[in-house]
Amino acid sequence: MKPSLPGAATDRRTVLRLFGLGAAASLGGTGLAACSKEAGSRGSATGADAIRSVLPAYRPAEVLKPDIPGEGPIPDGYLSYPRQLVDAVTEQPGRGGAPIRTMSPWWGPTPPPVGRNSYLAAVNAKLGVEVNPSLQDGNTYADKLNAMLGARDVPDLLCVPNWEVDKVARFSDAVKALFTDLTDSLKGDAAAKYPYLASLPTGAWEYSVWGGRLYAVPFPTDGPFAFALFHRRDLFAAAGLTAPTSPEQLHEIGKQVTDPARGVWAFGTVFDMVQQFYGCHQTWRKKPDGGLEHKFENPAFAAALEFTARLFAEGLVHPDTVASKGADEKQLFKAGKILMYQDGLGAWQGMQSERVKELPSFDMQPLPVFGVGGAPPVIWGSEKPVFFTFLKKDLPAERVDELLRVLDWCAAPFGSREFELREYGVEGQHFTRSADGSPVPTELGRKEMGAQYTHVGGRVPVKVRSGDTPNYVQDYIGYYQKNIAQMEKDLFAGIKLELPANWSKLIQPTEDKIRDILRGRRPIGDLEQVRKEFLANGGEEGRAFHEKALADNGR
């Protein structure tokens, strides 16, 4: 079992930011009427021992030794791109079966489909079977997913973001009704047939169990922290500013840099990071006198809410963020329209690499993680996968094997020809090489590629230096090494929670109420009413459920 950090807290939105994909789409949790049964509506918790009994036996499949070895869920780092690649897959995975329909989210322009996309043609030729991807807008993916599950009409491979799972009432019922039980194909040594799936970290597989059975292939995180608060270090330096080390300094800098006349505001979304600065736990924590306390009951949450609401009230937050659930803050940040916003650390290298070509001075860095009044912060994190890939139910055994072989190809590690083709396409068409040998995307590559095989396949994450991000690997892993000790301990590590229906239905409406308070549409004093409504409409049920899960596991 790959060692993991037994402390990462869990949250449905965590991994979106980890992977740097932007704001999560919302889903009401009232769908799946066609899939819903009364069974499972109260939730269930599968104990750690039962989880371990159905997991694949971990078999590392390292092609190259890392320059900077990772620890647990922290990825390995490589300071150069290999000059010589290896063939990781020697037997064509496809069996000549029917085209494989997939659906996965994508945050960018939609690439051309099969028949008009040379990248898809090149990969499918290697696979020996046609994969026909359907990429859906990641910002509205929940709507498509909800409709698809409710209609019981799913593709051969369906990618489900982790942050949507908890919002879907009775999701476990949908899993059992619509998807293939993979336990017998992958548990224990059976996974050796698919060596690169077996190399995925055990901490990611633990979340892929429903009802005590293994149902999904995970897409592991590229680091356990939920967010970082990024700042434009180049613009800070030009203004003679240094990074803040307290909320008071953060607020003061916000006032200094905001200039609506020039179209510049200090902040995009920051509330989740502010909660961590104030020491607020992510969901539940144990009370000194026993039982669990939800974060809404913690004075630190109220203090973080009040601080962030002041940023909105004083006009320090970009109007696009004020007016919507989620603005295109990546573009605003790249353009210097906002100077600070929270995102997953996975967003870092891609944005730096893209923007520095146009603006050589561009420099994005995470701010230091600081506490309030000398108290330590609490850093949220998780080994929960970014995505889960499910196989359609009632497929013949040979078709299940073909799909798993394709997913295994898609999980081939860094240093392999399969990795390069999956991530960069064909040399001379979709990428060229820089002087140090690392791939540089072409316009055709940017047009035709949309993680069509990456998001459904899972992969062991790595961090690789590029010519335009020469210090990124050291900075990225160094940020983790400096702050990992502050990561919140997970009370439920190794326990698979299938949440009560009332809890799932409660998430989005409560978030909407908190959002209204932040934006000044409701007064700060309404937090007490929101808290009461939350506890009355499913929060107390959730508390009892989580307390029982801990008790049943001797915690």
Side-chain angles (χ1 to χ4, degrees):
M1 179 180 293
K2 180 176 180 179
S4 60
L5 299 175
T10 62
D11 182 83
R12 69 205 176 284
R13 296 180 301 166
T14 291
V15 200
L16 180 65
R17 271 81 173 198
L18 287 175
F19 197 59
L21 297 175
S26 61
L27 177 62
T30 56
L32 287 176
C35 301
S36 298
K37 308 286 185 184
E38 185 60 30
S41 62
R42 295 183 179 179
S44 65
T46 304
D49 290 342
I51 293 289
R52 284 191 290 268
S53 71
V54 300
L55 299 182
Y58 175 68
R59 297 173 182 264
E62 188 179 274
V63 173
L64 296 173
K65 287 193 174 298
D67 297 301
I68 306 176
E71 176 187 355
I74 302 174
D76 291 333
Y78 294 86
L79 300 181
S80 63
Y81 194 84
R83 297 285 184 172
Q84 297 294 324
L85 303 176
V86 302
D87 290 314
V89 179
T90 56
E91 185 178 349
Q92 197 172 59
R95 302 303 197 196
I100 298 171
R101 295 188 306 123
T102 75
M103 189 178 95
S104 57
W106 176 240
W107 289 262
T110 303
V114 165
R116 295 192 289 113
N117 188 316
S118 62
Y119 166 68
L120 298 180
V123 177
N124 287 345
K126 289 292 185 182
L127 292 175
V129 63
E130 181 181 288
V131 172
N132 188 352
S134 173
L135 298 188
Q136 300 294 323
D137 183 354
N139 294 318
T140 58
Y141 194 75
D143 300 328
K144 181 72 173 180
L145 178 66
N146 198 33
M148 178 174 282
L149 296 179
R152 295 174 174 252
D153 181 18
V154 297
D156 301 295
L157 298 174
L158 177 65
C159 177
V160 179
N162 98 63
W163 56 91
E164 303 300 351
V165 169
D166 290 354
K167 295 180 182 178
V168 180
R170 305 183 181 114
F171 183 78
S172 60
D173 292 337
V175 168
K176 295 164 192 172
L178 300 177
F179 303 121
T180 296
D181 183 340
L182 300 174
T183 309
D184 293 339
S185 297
L186 293 174
K187 76 174 180 180
D189 292 334
K193 185 176 181 181
Y194 314 102
Y196 305 117
L197 297 185
S199 74
L200 301 180
T202 298
W205 284 108
E206 288 179 348
Y207 291 95
S208 303
V209 175
W210 281 266
R213 305 290 288 178
L214 189 66
Y215 272 96
V217 172
F219 181 100
T221 74
D222 62 349
F225 289 177
F227 314 101
L229 184 56
F230 286 103
H231 73 299
R232 286 287 302 271
R233 188 165 67 174
D234 55 322
L235 299 182
F236 268 51
L241 299 171
T242 57
T245 58
S246 70
E248 293 77 18
Q249 290 181 16
L250 183 68
H251 179 219
E252 186 59 34
I253 288 175
K255 291 191 293 184
Q256 291 182 50
V257 301
T258 297
D259 187 351
R262 294 193 301 115
V264 175
W265 283 263
F267 302 110
T269 299
V270 297
F271 181 47
D272 294 290
M273 280 303 301
V274 170
Q275 291 177 61
Q276 294 170 68
F277 296 157
Y278 275 83
C280 184
H281 53 289
Q282 193 167 358
T283 307
W284 299 103
R285 72 174 179 182
K286 284 188 175 182
K287 296 187 290 188
D289 57 350
L292 292 177
E293 175 191 77
H294 191 270
K295 73 173 181 179
F296 292 166
E297 302 171 291
N298 185 347
F301 179 82
L305 182 69
E306 183 175 0
F307 175 86
T308 311
R310 190 190 325 154
L311 304 183
F312 278 91
E314 294 180 4
L316 307 182
V317 179
H318 195 281
D320 287 3
T321 298
V322 176
S324 65
K325 291 183 178 180
D328 192 351
E329 294 183 344
K330 294 178 189 295
Q331 297 303 320
L332 295 172
F333 184 75
K334 285 193 291 186
K337 301 300 183 182
I338 56 176
L339 271 62
M340 291 172 276
Y341 87 116
Q342 68 184 34
D343 207 339
L345 281 110
W348 187 356
Q349 186 176 29
M351 188 183 297
Q352 178 71 28
S353 173
E354 177 186 343
R355 188 69 177 107
V356 76
K357 294 178 176 63
E358 304 164 348
L359 182 66
S361 63
F362 182 87
D363 185 13
M364 66 182 292
Q365 292 286 330
L367 288 174
V369 181
F370 50 78
V372 176
V378 172
I379 298 179
W380 301 348
S382 176
E383 286 189 72
K384 184 179 284 189
V386 186
F387 308 119
F388 299 102
T389 294
F390 296 92
L391 279 63
K392 184 178 181 180
K393 192 172 184 177
D394 295 330
L395 297 172
E398 58 271 18
R399 179 65 163 179
V400 171
D401 177 60
E402 182 177 46
L403 294 177
L404 289 175
R405 287 167 61 87
V406 167
L407 293 178
D408 186 64
W409 187 97
C410 292
F414 176 71
S416 69
R417 291 187 175 88
E418 293 81 5
F419 179 99
E420 183 173 272
L421 178 59
R422 182 189 77 221
E423 296 298 319
Y424 303 108
V426 178
E427 184 175 3
Q429 288 183 267
H430 306 103
F431 73 91
T432 58
R433 292 195 192 276
S434 64
D436 64 3
S438 57
V440 179
T442 64
E443 286 305 313
L444 180 65
R446 293 187 180 95
K447 175 184 176 182
E448 292 193 340
M449 298 176 65
Q452 294 97 322
Y453 302 92
T454 304
H455 287 177
V456 298
R459 83 286 182 263
V460 175
V462 295
K463 293 297 168 185
V464 185
R465 179 190 181 276
S466 66
D468 46 19
T469 58
N471 301 314
Y472 165 73
V473 173
Q474 300 95 314
D475 289 347
Y476 181 97
I477 296 177
Y479 181 81
Y480 270 105
Q481 292 171 338
K482 181 178 180 179
N483 294 300
I484 198 69
Q486 307 279 8
M487 193 163 71
E488 182 181 7
K489 303 304 179 185
D490 182 9
L491 301 175
F492 303 93
I495 305 171
K496 177 56 188 286
L497 303 176
E498 298 174 36
L499 300 174
N502 285 340
W503 177 271
S504 298
K505 295 176 182 178
L506 191 62
I507 293 171
Q508 193 61 55
T510 304
E511 287 184 352
D512 291 341
K513 295 171 186 176
I514 296 296
R515 185 179 295 109
D516 285 343
I517 293 175
L518 284 172
R519 285 155 171 76
R521 295 191 285 263
R522 296 180 64 163
I524 291 289
D526 275 11
L527 175 61
E528 179 61 29
Q529 182 61 33
V530 171
R531 182 188 298 120
K532 289 179 180 178
E533 292 169 355
F534 168 79
L535 294 174
N537 295 327
E540 290 293 1
E541 181 181 345
R543 191 199 311 273
F545 168 80
H546 286 87
E547 288 177 345
K548 184 177 187 302
L550 290 178
D552 289 347
N553 283 271
R555 303 182 190 180

